[in-house]
Amino acid sequence: MKAAVLQSEGVLTLTDVPAPAPVGDRSVLVRVGGVGVCGSDVLRYGRGKAYHYPLVLGHEFSAVVEEAPEGSRFRPGDRAAVFPLLPDPADPMTQIGEYAVGSGYDYYGSRRDGAMAEFLQVPEANLVPVARDVPLVHAAMVEPAAVALHAMLKFQLPAHATALVIGAGPIGALAAQWLRILGASEVYVADVDERKRAVMAGLGFPVIDASAGDTVDTVRELTGGRGVDCAVEASGLPATLIQAITAAAPLGQVMLLGDLSGDLTLPRALVSSVLRRELRIHGTWNSRITPAGRSEWDMVVHHLGRDLKVAPLISHTPSLEEAPAMFADMLERRTWYNKVVFAVADQAQAELIRPGVVGGVA
């Protein structure tokens, strides 16, 4: 089968690889439908962040079942989103369903070969059913949407809550939508990128041009000097984390959603203001697939295509054959992109030319 293999830093080749071996309990052979590119994939590709070489990237993906074990709830042709984490059964965190905060887990696309390949073997428990009318490139967005939901569920939203999301990339855009779905009355979204702001404005969010002035001053203006109840840092920059903390109202909450790109020193006065305002600062990591049937992943699938819109976030839907050129362009910023989702399966490519789904944008 074909796979896009990261041979060394910055060297990605489309090549033939052996068929995947069964994985874990009740392994299911799937055909990869769509696979999204996470910022961490770009770092693994071109910034030396891979665990090992060679490596097949890809942890945000959808799939079509090819072969399932006897007695499976899945049948050939069924569609699913795939939870990429393989927990260590002996870890105490696994035993309480908190896989992502455990140690020693395995992970598609980082610690083991991932989904930038035609086929993969995955444990049945890692599959979440997706309706047949959901395009495969859209279903590949379930993983980042679950990551964003996991974070937003940590907030305790007060009545008539206001919120600020700094960073209108895919994760920030998904976080803003979840805040609205979960009941926030007003969600402001700040970014320096005009095209990303346009996407969010098209989704009905009031946007702040972070390049035109101080985001915190603008937020205070919009909230009568109070600040926001919930502030989300989704850019991964030290400066924007300080903005998020500063923009929070008394008794407010701050979410660290972006993985910081550099070290940060907090001014003493800012730390003092955190104490005096009694802020709560949350960390978040990955998402939860437990309890089965009532997890964050199940919630994403329920809202997908209804009040959770992923199509407008997808800027590129290349084929797997285009992976080497696409990753090089992304690393060097030779092209503007928002969310890149590879249409791997023939079905995924065919869906892109359906009316209303051209280019992955409905």
Side-chain angles (χ1 to χ4, degrees), residues 290-332:
T290 56
R294 300 183 63 83
S295 71
E296 293 160 359
W297 279 61
D298 296 292
M299 183 171 175
V300 171
V301 169
H302 175 77
H303 286 272
L304 188 65
R306 298 178 182 181
D307 45 3
L308 180 70
K309 307 294 185 183
V310 299
L313 311 183
I314 301 172
S315 58
H316 296 71
T317 52
S319 66
L320 188 61
E321 288 74 14
E322 297 172 271
M326 190 75 228
F327 267 90
D329 286 346
M330 294 173 74
L331 180 69
E332 300 301 331

Side-chain angles (χ1 to χ4, degrees), residues 171-201:
I171 288 291
L174 292 163
Q177 292 188 67
W178 282 124
L179 284 166
R180 185 163 62 186
I181 291 167
L182 292 170
S185 298
E186 193 72 275
V187 183
Y188 306 105
V189 180
D191 203 287
V192 297
D193 190 317
E194 181 180 3
R195 284 170 285 195
K196 291 180 181 179
R197 293 198 306 272
V199 170
M200 299 310 294

Side-chain angles (χ1 to χ4, degrees), residues 83 87 93-94 96-99 125 287-298:
F83 183 65
M93 292 295 102
T94 297
I96 62 170
E98 295 287 356
Y99 303 160
S287 60
R288 296 180 82 241
I289 198 176
T290 56
R294 300 183 63 83
S295 71
E296 293 160 359
W297 279 61
D298 296 292

Side-chain angles (χ1 to χ4, degrees), residues 154-156 158 162 216 220 226-232 240-256 266-283:
K154 293 179 183 293
F155 282 136
Q156 295 179 13
T162 56
V216 176
R220 286 178 175 158
R226 181 175 175 274
V228 292
D229 298 297
C230 300
V232 180
T240 50
L241 176 54
I242 289 177
Q243 287 179 340
I245 295 171
T246 306
L251 301 180
Q253 301 165 74
V254 179
M255 181 64 61
L256 280 66
L266 293 179
R268 179 181 175 185
L270 181 61
V271 174
S272 178
S273 76
V274 170
L275 304 180
R276 290 176 179 272
R277 285 178 288 158
E278 293 196 5
L279 300 187
R280 283 171 285 172
I281 299 177
H282 301 273

Side-chain angles (χ1 to χ4, degrees), residues 134-161:
V134 175
L136 289 165
V137 294
H138 296 180
M141 294 288 288
V142 171
E143 195 276 345
V147 168
L149 174 61
H150 180 72
M152 297 307 98
L153 287 174
K154 293 179 183 293
F155 282 136
Q156 295 179 13
L157 290 178
H160 196 47

